[in-house]
Each structure stands twice: as structure tokens, then as C-alpha cells.
Amino acid sequence: MEFLVTIELERFELAATEESDLRERERATGERYMRDGALLRMWRLPGRRASVSLWKVDDADRLHELLSGFPFFPWMDITVVPLARHYLEEGREAAGGGAS
């Protein structure tokens, strides 16, 4: 199942070393999710502390498990939109041009 996820990072106060450590762990977590095939794509939203991403996981429970694994999860405002296949994509998939 695919999900469109918007994450807005709330303001927070941390010591510089703690924030740096969190950022490194955040990157490593995201890279692992990409390698594992759960996180398909990710984009920044210009002018905001926000991103939009495309996920492919078995269900919403698995998505929640992965999202809550991010080190910045306590400061994330997350919106999840489950996606259903559109009939126009079926022809693209058969031709090898679309994601499933």
C-alpha cells in the first residue's frame, strides 16, 4: 500500500551537540528506510521546515512503526494520506512505466 506523508518539523530547543547527533541518526534512519524499499521518494517543501514523501508498506500500522522510529518523531507534525491505484496508472504499469 502506498502513502503520501507530509512531515512538518516543529520548533524545538536542544544543545548543539544533541541536535547534531539527532540529525545524523535521522539521516541514517531515512537512508535505511530507502534501502529497505519502504521510503520511495522524499522532497523538501521550500520555505518551510517540512517534507513530502512517498512510502510503500504493507499497512498503516507498519507506516506508523517506521515513522515513529525517526529520532525527530517527538517534534513531527505528520499528515498521512493513503493512496489507491488510479485506472490511468494501470496501463503505465503494464508498459513498465509506473510504480506499483
Side-chain angles (χ1 to χ4, degrees):
M1 184 167 197
E2 292 178 329
F3 297 89
L4 185 67
V5 177
T6 302
I7 299 173
E8 184 97 28
L9 196 58
E10 298 170 357
R11 297 284 178 198
F12 56 88
E13 296 289 327
L14 296 173
T17 56
E18 187 178 1
E19 184 176 343
S20 177
D21 175 61
L22 277 175
R23 286 192 188 285
E24 286 179 30
R25 293 187 307 141
E26 186 83 3
R27 176 184 291 276
T29 300
E31 289 173 347
R32 185 175 75 245
Y33 292 167
M34 284 185 147
R35 276 193 312 274
D36 293 346
L39 176 54
L40 301 178
R41 299 287 309 269
M42 188 167 221
W43 301 267
R44 289 182 296 164
L45 296 176
R48 295 172 48 193
R49 294 168 48 108
S51 64
V52 175
S53 51
L54 180 62
W55 293 74
K56 185 172 184 176
V57 294
D58 291 338
D59 54 36
D61 291 326
R62 178 65 178 145
L63 179 64
H64 178 75
E65 179 183 327
L66 293 171
L67 291 172
S68 63
F70 277 115
F72 280 120
F73 181 74
W75 299 280
M76 290 177 170
D77 181 16
I78 301 172
T79 303
V80 174
V81 177
L83 302 173
R85 178 171 286 131
H86 192 279
Y87 67 87
L88 289 177
E89 288 292 314
E90 292 172 7
R92 287 173 38 105
E93 289 173 16
S100 58

